Amino acid sequence: MDQQILTLFVTATNIYVGGQFTTIGTKSRNRLAALDLNVGVANSWNPNPNGIVRALYITSTNAFVGGDFTTISVANRRGFASIGLTGVGTAQPFDLALQAPGTANLVRSILLQGNSLYVGGQFTNALAAPHFLVVGFDITSGQPVPTPMGTDFNGTAGAAYGANALASANGNVLVAGDFQSMGGVVRQRAAALSITTGAALPWSPGFDFPVMCMAYGTNRIYVGGSFTNYYNITNQLSPKVGLGLGAVDPVSGNPLPFSFLGTNTLGNVSVNSLVLSSNALYAGGAFTTVAGSPRRFLAALDQGNGSLIAGFNANLGGGYAGVGSLALAGTNLYAGGDFTTVNSLAIPRLAAVSSITGASINWIPTPNQAVTALATSADTLYVGGAFTSINLNGSGALSLNHFAAFSLADNSLVSIDAILATYDAVNVIAATETAIYVGGSFAAIGGNFTQNLGDLSTVDASTFGWNPSPDVGPSAFALTDGYAFVGGSFRFLGQSPTNQVNGFFAAYNRAPVVSIKKGTPGNVQLDLTTGDRTDAVLQGTTNLVNSAWTDLQTYGPGFGQTLIVPVQSKQFFRMVAH
């Protein structure tokens, strides 16, 4: 087949497959086919949907099909259809009549319980009534069955767009973006969640337009975006004018004295990225003046009151969308986005400047398209964006699709490649000394089929054994020592039919874990997840009271392992970071 299979369903005689393919074996089959179980050849069944198939459930008479299509078997069916199993496959009369803002990911999962068929996806209405994310119906009568409203992250209008920024503060995780509720509690585009339970906490600042970025300073949270006003939705204090950037108390959520007086002659003001040094807050985005002084796309501000630091000016020119990402390493400030000059020098889309004065650093990487993501580890700068080549200091264009790495020691190009396709995209990157988290729009990265979110080795950019498979690439990461927090506009994690409704936010354990399973006679099977932080050590002991743990095996970061060990009368195991 020429492209991915996303879902399978096996019956006594056939294997039904759905996905993105247009051929299977030697036969033309658009995204849906039935293969003979014995010989693997496609039979005559050919419903021919015009969009991706993501979910299947087969009964004795019908195939229930879900995905992104709008027509199937020469019938108009938006995202869901019932298709007969005989002949080429005829569309049955039943129609869920799904409604959604778009056609992507309309249906991601299908489950039959008795006579009740449950359909999950990214829709707001079905069967001429409000049904957010999930709808159920009786396959005999076609009548709706009760389902929960999947609106915890979505408000009753179903008009939220995702989590754009994540940060950690005071032992909690902060989430910001464009949503109306979080965990079933009203939260206007910003929320704090318990790092233990995930429950929404009392911290509740509100913003009148989306939040795009956050930074944690001394006794304050800096928040950037496209909003004009912000306030505390609990105590209803008077709104404070923010014009894209504000500061709130990390405990109460109340607005703090802070004035970013930005304007944008090209359109609306938006602050897309924030980074803190010891004595300045750097803001990157779409603005042209700050406090009446020219500051195109990049400014340094006083951390206390938001006033402009006059001594810093990088004089960015050209472009329209402005700075999309910032990263600070030592005294160098890296900026990526949509611009063509820095201090009147031709340095397009990615630049390094002095964090003190804004003066240009002698480094011209020249990506051929916009940069959208920057992240640093102890020794490396990672860059993501729409580019497909890098021309470092005029040495000649090198093909690198959407991902590149540079040494922070001398700004030279690091020879690793994430092996992305030209039509892919990278939206966000987070990095440690041992792992690179990359989010975007892709079906494969690092040489493996890993959808939209990958965890790569810092040595060669090969993919670790972690594949959450969000339906939409994330737009925000926050890493703590124990967890990776992911935010975005995704609704599902995991390929159909095992996907789960998540709603814009998810947390993953970065620590080593071991699980013990029954193995062959006389043995047990240990399934190990090493984590991505550092090497992990499998240890064993025969006594938990006076335990003396013995190192059994050391594993590198990021890859799953399986080990078969002989059964002893009493044996305990654990995984620890090296």
Side-chain angles (χ1 to χ4, degrees):
M1 64 200 62
D2 55 348
Q3 293 194 58
Q4 285 191 85
I5 286 178
L6 300 178
T7 182
L8 296 169
F9 198 100
V10 180
T11 69
T13 56
N14 295 312
I15 304 173
Y16 293 84
V17 295
Q20 297 172 296
F21 54 85
T22 56
T23 61
I24 190 160
T26 60
K27 296 186 177 181
S28 175
R29 290 291 185 274
N30 287 323
R31 308 171 189 89
L32 183 59
L35 311 180
D36 184 279
L37 189 61
N38 294 315
V39 297
V41 176
N43 63 25
S44 61
W45 193 72
N46 186 14
N48 194 33
N50 70 340
I52 297 171
V53 171
R54 301 182 183 274
L56 288 170
Y57 200 100
I58 313 298
T59 67
S60 59
T61 56
N62 292 318
F64 295 103
V65 185
D68 300 356
F69 51 84
T70 55
T71 65
I72 185 171
S73 293
V74 202
N76 293 324
R77 295 291 187 273
R78 187 178 172 88
F80 178 85
S82 174
I83 306 296
L85 298 183
T86 59
V88 296
T90 303
Q92 304 303 296
F94 181 78
D95 186 357
L96 271 182
L98 297 178
Q99 295 181 26
T103 59
N105 302 297
L106 267 174
V107 170
R108 283 295 305 266
S109 58
I110 300 173
L111 175 67
L112 183 66
Q113 294 287 312
N115 285 333
S116 297
L117 191 77
Y118 296 92
V119 178
Q122 196 164 319
F123 48 82
T124 57
N125 289 68
L127 299 170
H131 287 277
F132 301 101
L133 309 184
V134 180
V135 63
F137 66 94
D138 187 290
I139 60 173
T140 303
S141 67
Q143 295 302 305
V145 297
T147 56
M149 289 290 192
T151 59
D152 282 357
F153 288 82
N154 201 20
T156 56
Y161 298 97
N164 300 325
L166 299 172
S168 59
N170 296 336
N172 303 314
V173 60
L174 308 181
V175 186
D178 191 9
F179 48 82
Q180 300 298 315
S181 64
M182 186 69 73
V185 180
V186 174
R187 292 292 183 267
Q188 294 279 350
R189 303 182 176 91
L193 307 181
S194 166
I195 207 168
T196 303
T197 67
L201 299 172
W203 188 76
S204 54
F207 300 84
D208 58 1
F209 277 92
V211 172
M212 304 303 295
C213 55
M214 291 187 293
Y216 183 32
T218 303
N219 298 321
R220 60 187 55 213
I221 307 293
Y222 300 100
V223 184
S226 56
F227 55 87
T228 301
N229 299 294
Y230 61 108
Y231 46 88
N232 188 313
I233 65 172
T234 301
N235 56 33
Q236 297 295 315
L237 294 176
S238 297
K240 180 174 175 56
V241 176
L243 296 178
L245 179 57
V248 298
D249 187 281
V251 178
S252 68
N254 289 336
L256 296 175
F258 188 88
S259 295
F260 173 71
L261 303 175
T263 62
N264 185 9
T265 58
L266 304 175
N268 295 327
V269 171
S270 178
V271 172
N272 304 321
S273 185
L274 296 170
V275 67
L276 281 163
S277 71
S278 58
N279 54 14
L281 172 67
Y282 299 95
F287 50 84
T288 53
T289 68
V290 177
S293 297
R295 287 296 185 277
R296 187 181 176 92
F297 304 155
L298 180 60
L301 309 171
D302 183 274
Q303 295 182 10
N305 58 26
S307 62
L308 184 68
I309 297 177
F312 176 92
N313 190 357
N315 293 294
L316 300 185
Y320 177 82
V323 169
S325 188
L326 296 172
L328 186 65
T331 59
N332 287 354
L333 178 66
Y334 294 88
D338 177 27
F339 52 86
T340 58
T341 64
V342 181
N343 292 311
S344 300
L345 300 173
I347 307 177
R349 308 178 191 93
L350 178 60
V353 300
S354 164
S355 62
I356 308 302
T357 65
S360 302
I361 306 298
N362 186 24
W363 179 63
I364 309 176
T366 322
N368 66 331
Q369 295 292 333
V371 168
T372 55
L374 297 174
T376 59
S377 65
D379 56 7
T380 307
L381 171 71
Y382 299 100
V383 181
F387 57 86
T388 56
S389 69
I390 297 288
N391 187 354
L392 182 59
N393 298 327
S395 59
L398 178 66
S399 178
L400 283 170
N401 289 329
H402 316 299
F403 177 87
F406 298 89
S407 167
L408 290 176
D410 58 6
N411 287 325
S412 61
L413 195 61
V414 177
S415 111
I416 61 173
D417 186 355
I419 318 178
L420 291 161
T422 55
Y423 49 79
D424 291 336
V426 169
N427 302 327
V428 63
I429 302 174
T432 70
E433 292 184 19
T434 57
I436 316 162
Y437 290 86
V438 180
S441 176
F442 45 81
I445 189 171
N448 286 311
F449 287 110
T450 301
Q451 176 179 284
N452 296 337
L453 175 57
D455 186 13
L456 310 182
S457 165
T458 56
V459 176
D460 58 6
S462 60
T463 49
F464 286 156
W466 182 69
N467 188 9
S469 293
D471 58 320
V472 177
S475 53
F477 283 124
L479 300 181
T480 66
D481 187 55
Y483 293 95
F485 297 101
V486 185
S489 58
F490 55 85
R491 298 292 182 87
F492 300 95
L493 295 168
Q495 291 284 8
S496 175
T498 60
N499 51 298
Q500 299 176 3
V501 176
N502 268 72
F504 308 153
F505 177 80
Y508 292 91
N509 194 337
R510 298 180 59 218
V513 177
V514 60
S515 63
I516 303 174
K517 297 180 179 178
K518 185 177 180 180
T520 56
N523 298 293
V524 293
Q525 176 178 315
L526 307 181
D527 289 338
L528 319 173
T529 302
T530 61
D532 66 19
R533 296 178 300 175
T534 183
D535 290 345
V537 180
L538 175 66
Q539 295 182 330
T541 185
T542 58
N543 189 337
L544 287 179
V545 178
N546 299 304
S547 57
W549 292 94
T550 301
D551 290 355
L552 302 178
Q553 184 71 47
T554 299
Y555 299 93
F559 295 97
Q561 308 283 344
T562 296
L563 185 66
I564 306 297
V565 298
V567 174
Q568 299 185 24
S569 59
K570 189 181 291 184
Q571 183 76 27
F572 304 94
F573 300 95
R574 71 179 184 183
M575 289 289 288
V576 297
H578 189 270

